[in-house]
Amino acid sequence: MDRIKKAAVLGSGVMGSGIAAHLANIGIPVLLLDIVPHEVTDEEKNKGLTLADSEVRNRLSNTSRKKLLKQKPAPLTVKKNLDLIEAGNFDDDMHKLSEVDWIIEVVVENLAIKQKVLALVDRYRKQGSIISSNTSGISVEAMQEGRTEDFKQHFLGTHFFNPPRYLKLLELIPTANTDQKVLTFMKTFGEDTLGKGVVIAKDTPNFIANRIGTYGLLVTVNEMLSGSYSVGEVDSITGPLIGRPKSATFRTLDVVGLDTFAHVADNVYNQVQGQEKDVFEIPQFMREMLDNGWLGSKAGKGFYYKSGKEILELNPQTMEYEPKKKLQAASIEFAKQAKGLQNKLKTLIFSEDRAGKLLQHIILPTLVYSAQLVGEIADDIVAIDRAMKWGFGWELGPFELWDAIGVQEVVTLMETTGLDVPDWVKNMLEKGNEAFYRLENGVQFFYHNGQYRQVEQNQKVINLKTTKAVNGVIKKNSGASLIDIGDDVALLEFHSKSNAIGFDIIQMINYAITEVEKNYKGLVIGNQGKNFCVGANLGMILMEAQDDNYYEIDLVIRQFQQAMMNIKYSQKPVVVAPFAMTLGGGTEICLPASSIQASSETYMGLVEVGVGLIPGGGGNKEYYIKQLNSIPNYTDLDLQAVANKVFETIAMAKVSSSGAEAFELQYLNQRDKISMNSDHLLYDAKQRVLTLYGEGYLPPVREKIPVVGETGYATMLLGAQSMYLSGFISEHDLKIAKKLAHVIAGGSVPYGTKVDEQYLLDLEKEAFLSLVSEAKSQQRMQHMLLKGKPLRN
């Protein structure tokens, strides 16, 4: 098989429809099938429908399909992707399986039912099509019993994590009969097309991530009970402080659902023995929660319960809800001040206060358990580490975490606390090997069966930390670094706080353009932080405004605008690689580039009105030009319609909910691309630079821009004034709208006048300076900095 052109998903529940949506997001048509209902609903009877009508027969899959538009977080990157999902049923549409290349079974977690469905698949599928069962723990080997030889060769387990659009991990579980070529194809397809982090798992209970993750969660629950910690105390220390998600332990369980978690835990409990079995036995108070229906977020009550504005935590002893508590300990305060995750972990783990004891009793057993399972659930430590990072959002996998704290130090601590360290770990230390991973000349190696082996990595993964270690840095300052990423392409990496834009980043942009024009084929602007860029340094702007230092703000704006013009008119191609939050100034950096290579999960928008300002770095101008350029040769050009759209998008601070939606909002256009796999984003951006260079790239020709002028200004303001008179927006909102409309209209000129870019930049700067001096804008800026959300004043 060279590629998958069409797929079928059997089972339209939350997981099945989520997988169908993810396939539709990458442009693959999907057939979504489910069972035929046994009876007609009252609504269907009133329509005169019977069990013979397709509307009734396809009800389950059709209902699930429609729910995709309402689910939060959204499974579809854009609503139109729903058109790629065709609803059907098992009785009428199984023959259509002969048209598809990949069939994914996602029915109920029951072996007998899965075998029955797969027997039907075997009957209707075409030779060579791939079949997978999406299961979280049922034996994949058992499912294929009785199937034809071609079926067995093309069959494997696929364990997507929910929700499939957002969670990176995809576990592939081959059987003894799975053709190696099929496994290799699915791994490459999973990474390059589906955008997943793929690990190969063994056919064992709950595979890799759920086996270790569930163990870790239950060890934590048991330690909470035996150590007399509260739910809130545990969560206050088992989140970002130790490199885990903000949802920590019990908030995670509330989000997952206690019923789902109990099913996964029981699956292991029923298949293992001894001490391991004891850990997977769910405590009595959690069984009581299940009986009470306190399942978490979906039930409105779980480990936490929101009463009015107050969040309460469950007391497992009394089964009553109490005010949420945080763990207080000296080591926590020291850890917060420590630089980097490694130092935070060391500070906590080796302390003897309540925080240290809690973490020793939950992290150390999980590390031992992970080491015991190497070879049983996965071939090596790399698969385990990746599964925990991609499936559970851990910043460090178990063995990476062990390395970070110090393998020998941790082993000593384990032994003093009575834990049985696996022999292979002790043997590794006895041989003088101090860590599970080594970095040699930029190549990573891992310890395996007495020796170090090279970590296999998809060639499309560029690790900037490793690249800098090997190639060094061309130039850097506090806000950014210019790096050689090979093939005569340079990369500008932001690393200021939140990647916010200040003088330091502006200086590095200008330096990078000059250096690249002399010595490189092109430039990528990208990084591997939490977000691409959340905008300008708002704190710095507010401080200068409060000190009435408008000359300084004027200088920053002019320099930022000039840097954006340098990007636009660079003699060499500049490709920007945005991902996650790409807001305000982050979007302004993207818009003038030769091309944008966006991540599928890119949340892009000009959001300055939320802090009482308008874009000041050329964003209004470039967004307006981007709209004009989307009209072929300006045919049937309606300048007013273009201006209205730009005004509405910026005034309402519209942010794309995906890379695909950034196309719909026209932050992206035909010269831009999307990467499904965020790990491949910088590689794809680099390839885009090389392609543009190879095509003989020339910068755009500087041209005058037609604007709507005074009449267009009045038209844009009509809607805003109506909203003000209706009480929907404040007087200050209207003032901002007037400034924005004036800039987009091109000032006080006749309709259709062609103006220079610098003229529009000057209008933008004047409006920005005018608004930043307003007390109400400064209040909005301060509120955003303190509360992280907009103020409406």
Side-chain angles (χ1 to χ4, degrees):
M1 171 152 317
D2 57 349
R3 64 193 181 101
I4 289 169
K5 300 175 193 137
K6 188 173 182 180
V9 175
L10 313 183
S12 69
V14 172
M15 198 71 208
S17 60
I19 292 170
H22 188 66
L23 291 167
N25 288 338
I26 57 178
I28 294 177
V30 189
L31 180 65
L32 182 63
L33 306 183
D34 214 316
I35 59 171
V36 174
H38 298 301
E39 52 189 36
V40 181
T41 65
D42 290 340
E43 187 183 346
E44 288 165 341
K45 282 179 190 170
N46 292 336
K47 287 183 180 177
L49 298 171
T50 71
L51 286 173
D53 290 297
S54 62
E55 188 176 328
V56 177
R57 296 175 74 76
N58 295 342
R59 184 208 308 148
L60 292 181
S61 52
N62 241 326
T63 301
S64 294
R65 181 180 172 276
K66 289 172 186 172
K67 277 183 183 175
L68 291 172
L69 294 174
K70 297 177 183 176
Q71 278 174 246
K72 299 287 182 187
L76 296 165
T77 53
V78 282
K79 290 180 179 179
K80 68 180 182 183
N81 290 345
L82 192 67
D83 296 340
L84 288 170
I85 303 173
E86 176 192 349
N89 68 75
F90 291 159
D91 290 5
D92 304 327
D93 300 303
M94 290 298 272
H95 66 280
K96 294 179 182 177
L97 296 186
S98 63
E99 303 164 8
V100 308
D101 306 303
W102 181 21
I103 301 156
I104 311 142
E105 170 273 303
V106 203
V107 300
V108 65
E109 289 283 83
N110 176 295
L111 178 59
I113 293 173
K114 284 182 179 288
Q115 286 176 326
K116 186 178 176 183
V117 171
L118 292 173
L120 278 173
V121 170
D122 202 358
R123 179 177 163 192
Y124 288 107
R125 64 178 280 269
K126 67 182 178 185
Q127 293 275 301
S129 63
I130 293 169
I131 322 101
S132 70
S133 172
N134 193 77
T135 174
S136 58
I138 291 180
S139 170
V140 181
E141 287 283 354
M143 285 185 218
Q144 54 146 20
E145 287 176 11
R147 303 282 56 81
T148 60
E149 199 59 36
D150 188 77
F151 180 104
K152 289 180 179 179
Q153 288 171 1
H154 292 83
F155 178 69
L156 71 165
T158 47
H159 183 207
F160 285 87
F161 271 57
N162 195 32
R165 172 182 162 186
Y166 299 96
L167 285 189
K168 192 171 183 67
L169 181 61
L170 171 60
E171 292 175 325
L172 297 182
I173 309 97
T175 72
N177 297 307
T178 306
D179 189 319
Q180 184 59 44
K181 289 178 184 174
V182 170
L183 182 62
T184 301
F185 169 80
M186 285 302 290
K187 185 173 189 299
T188 303
F189 174 77
E191 291 171 349
D192 293 358
T193 307
L194 295 176
K196 295 295 173 190
V198 178
V199 295
I200 311 298
K202 306 255 188 184
D203 190 13
T204 55
N206 288 5
F207 312 126
I208 303 173
N210 273 347
R211 179 79 168 267
I212 292 172
T214 306
Y215 178 91
L217 284 165
L218 284 169
V219 164
T220 305
V221 172
N222 290 330
E223 180 57 25
M224 175 188 73
L225 297 173
S226 63
S228 299
Y229 297 92
S230 84
V231 163
E233 283 181 326
V234 171
D235 271 2
S236 69
I237 194 174
T238 57
L241 196 61
I242 62 167
R244 305 278 173 86
K246 280 197 288 189
S247 54
T249 302
F250 294 103
R251 180 77 187 107
T252 295
L253 286 171
D254 274 354
V255 171
V256 168
L258 189 57
D259 51 345
T260 303
F261 175 77
H263 170 78
V264 173
D266 288 344
N267 189 50
V268 183
Y269 178 81
N270 293 327
Q271 297 184 64
V272 297
Q273 304 298 323
Q275 289 182 323
E276 185 179 7
K277 193 179 188 77
D278 295 340
V279 173
F280 282 94
E281 184 173 8
I282 292 209
Q284 182 54 40
F285 87 92
M286 288 170 76
R287 292 287 177 201
E288 200 173 323
M289 288 175 70
L290 287 166
D291 292 340
N292 293 344
W294 299 352
L295 305 179
S297 303
K298 60 188 172 188
K301 187 180 275 192
F303 291 98
Y304 292 103
Y305 170 60
K306 192 171 184 182
S307 176
K309 289 190 175 181
E310 188 181 14
I311 295 174
L312 305 175
E313 63 174 56
L314 180 69
N315 183 325
Q317 271 73 41
T318 64
M319 296 302 283
E320 301 286 336
Y321 286 93
E322 302 173 350
K324 189 177 171 187
K325 294 181 274 294
K326 282 188 177 181
L327 188 56
Q328 305 292 330
S331 64
I332 295 175
E333 299 310 313
F334 287 131
K336 285 177 180 175
Q337 293 165 22
K339 194 169 182 182
L341 179 58
Q342 182 175 14
N343 291 320
K344 291 181 192 297
L345 286 166
K346 283 182 175 179
T347 302
L348 290 162
I349 288 282
F350 294 114
S351 77
E352 292 299 315
D353 59 18
R354 286 190 79 221
K357 287 295 182 188
L358 172 64
L359 291 179
Q360 284 175 22
H361 293 157
I362 63 180
I363 288 178
L364 301 189
T366 306
L367 298 184
V368 167
Y369 187 64
S370 301
Q372 288 169 340
L373 291 175
V374 175
E376 180 185 334
I377 63 171
D379 281 335
D380 53 52
I381 65 171
V382 177
I384 291 174
D385 277 345
R386 286 176 173 172
M388 297 317 298
K389 289 191 291 183
W390 295 337
F392 276 74
W394 292 11
E395 201 171 319
L396 298 173
F399 299 97
E400 293 172 329
L401 191 152
W402 208 331
D403 273 356
I405 309 171
V407 180
Q408 182 61 69
E409 294 90 334
V410 171
V411 167
T412 302
L413 188 57
M414 286 170 171
E415 290 175 336
T416 60
T417 55
L419 289 169
D420 189 11
V421 180
D423 289 339
W424 75 265
V425 177
K426 293 181 192 172
N427 292 339
M428 182 184 85
L429 290 169
E430 285 166 7
K431 288 181 178 180
N433 300 308
E434 298 175 353
F436 296 105
Y437 290 95
R438 279 182 182 169
L439 193 65
E440 296 176 14
N441 300 319
V443 179
Q444 194 177 34
F445 294 83
F446 69 99
Y447 189 79
H448 185 74
N449 290 342
Q451 58 186 2
Y452 284 89
R453 285 170 51 181
Q454 186 173 332
V455 174
E456 286 185 17
Q457 190 74 273
N458 189 306
Q459 65 164 356
K460 295 182 180 178
V461 174
I462 293 175
N463 183 306
L464 290 183
K465 190 176 178 183
T466 305
T467 303
K468 284 187 281 190
V470 176
N471 296 353
V473 173
I474 301 165
K475 187 180 175 70
K476 71 175 288 188
N477 64 19
S478 58
S481 295
L482 187 63
I483 308 157
D484 186 330
I485 56 170
D487 298 318
D488 292 328
V489 177
L491 179 138
L492 183 63
E493 175 197 28
F494 299 166
H495 44 63
S496 59
K497 187 177 179 183
S498 300
N499 289 342
I501 302 159
F503 270 126
D504 47 7
I505 283 181
I506 292 169
Q507 286 169 353
M508 283 300 297
I509 289 172
N510 293 332
Y511 174 83
I513 298 294
T514 303
E515 176 66 18
V516 165
E517 285 186 333
K518 286 181 192 169
N519 299 315
Y520 291 86
K521 291 179 177 177
L523 176 69
V524 172
I525 300 178
N527 63 75
Q528 291 176 327
K530 185 180 176 185
N531 295 297
F532 172 72
C533 176
V534 296
N537 187 333
L538 193 61
M540 180 265 289
I541 293 170
L542 177 61
M543 186 173 68
E544 299 293 357
Q546 288 174 336
D547 289 345
D548 292 332
N549 195 353
Y550 296 107
Y551 172 79
E552 190 75 12
I553 298 173
D554 183 283
L555 180 64
V556 171
I557 297 168
R558 279 188 283 119
Q559 289 200 351
F560 187 28
Q561 289 181 345
Q562 187 55 52
M564 297 307 96
M565 293 290 273
N566 290 345
I567 288 173
K568 182 171 185 174
Y569 293 108
S570 166
Q571 294 300 310
K572 299 285 179 66
V574 178
V575 176
V576 184
F579 61 93
M581 294 297 181
T582 302
L583 304 176
T587 296
E588 288 185 291
I589 287 170
C590 296
L591 292 173
S594 316
S595 178
I596 302 168
Q597 183 73 42
S599 168
S600 179
E601 298 301 329
T602 299
Y603 315 122
M604 181 181 267
L606 296 165
V607 296
E608 286 82 354
V609 294
V611 289
L613 304 171
I614 69 165
N620 307 286
K621 166 182 71 79
E622 286 300 331
Y623 185 50
Y624 179 69
I625 291 171
K626 200 131 188 167
Q627 307 303 306
L628 292 176
N629 289 342
S630 68
I631 302 165
N633 303 318
Y634 291 178
T635 51
D636 302 321
L637 177 60
D638 184 343
L639 269 187
Q640 189 65 58
V642 172
N644 289 350
K645 181 178 179 182
V646 171
F647 174 70
E648 180 187 317
T649 303
I650 300 174
M652 295 179 71
K654 289 184 180 179
V655 176
S656 70
S657 61
S658 64
E661 194 177 48
F663 270 105
E664 290 193 342
L665 290 170
Q666 290 183 313
Y667 290 125
L668 304 181
N669 64 14
Q670 70 280 358
R671 70 186 183 187
D672 305 318
K673 308 283 183 187
I674 287 179
S675 296
M676 282 304 295
N677 192 325
S678 58
D679 287 344
H680 299 177
L681 180 61
L682 296 183
Y683 172 88
D684 292 341
K686 176 182 169 182
Q687 296 310 118
R688 188 85 185 109
V689 165
L690 292 170
T691 298
L692 289 169
Y693 179 84
E695 290 170 351
Y697 177 80
L698 290 171
V701 176
R702 189 157 178 160
E703 296 176 324
K704 290 195 171 184
I705 303 144
V707 294
V708 293
E710 288 181 296
T711 55
Y713 168 77
T715 303
M716 280 186 270
L717 269 193
L718 279 174
Q721 285 169 329
S722 173
M723 289 178 77
Y724 170 66
L725 292 171
S726 305
F728 288 110
I729 63 173
S730 70
E731 187 176 353
H732 193 57
D733 290 325
L734 183 60
K735 182 177 281 189
I736 297 166
K738 285 179 177 177
K739 299 281 185 187
L740 177 63
H742 182 73
V743 170
I744 293 166
S748 303
V749 296
Y751 182 96
T753 301
K754 291 188 175 183
V755 298
D756 185 71
E757 284 184 86
Q758 189 57 53
Y759 167 78
L760 289 176
L761 288 174
D762 290 342
L763 285 180
E764 213 170 281
K765 178 168 67 71
E766 287 163 18
F768 189 96
L769 285 168
S770 167
L771 286 168
V772 84
S773 67
E774 294 272 349
K776 287 191 173 181
S777 285
Q778 291 179 18
Q779 287 167 13
R780 290 188 180 193
M781 293 161 73
Q782 190 149 9
H783 192 269
M784 179 62 75
L785 288 166
L786 292 173
K787 305 283 188 180
K789 53 188 177 183
L791 170 70
R792 301 312 302 266
N793 58 354

